[in-house]
Amino acid sequence: MSEVTLQSALTCPRCGHVKVETMPTDACQWFYECEQCHAVLRPKPGDCCVYCSYGSVPCPPIQEGRQDEHCCQ
Ligand SMILES: [Zn+2]
């Protein structure tokens, strides 16, 4: 069993605000609203969720090497 980090520091690309969030293990987060500037973040092309695009660590399925079975499918 590999250790999966569930805490990810999301950095807002618009204002640079950083917020540590706990990632869900069973669902993909497609939208995230910055608490500071209220910009709604969406994943970059090729990324499955906002944590993969803007977080300090990728989402749990990616960490476990399960990127072939995308968490959002
Ligand atoms: Zn922001």
Side-chain angles (χ1 to χ4, degrees), residues 3 11 13 15-18 21 24 26 28 30 32 34 40-42 44 46 54 57 59 64 66 69 71 73:
E3 288 265 315
T11 303
C15 71
H17 183 68
V18 178
E21 296 283 354
D26 56 347
C28 223
W30 271 88
Y32 176 79
C34 172
V40 176
L41 312 184
R42 296 201 304 154
K44 295 171 186 169
Y54 306 107
V57 291
C59 67
E64 293 170 357
R66 290 193 282 120
E69 30 173 314
C71 48
Q73 288 177 0

Side-chain angles (χ1 to χ4, degrees), residues 30-56:
W30 271 88
F31 299 99
Y32 176 79
E33 184 181 336
C34 172
E35 66 175 9
Q36 180 167 276
C37 71
H38 300 289
V40 176
L41 312 184
R42 296 201 304 154
K44 295 171 186 169
D47 284 337
C48 65
C49 67
V50 291
Y51 294 107
C52 293
S53 292
Y54 306 107
S56 57

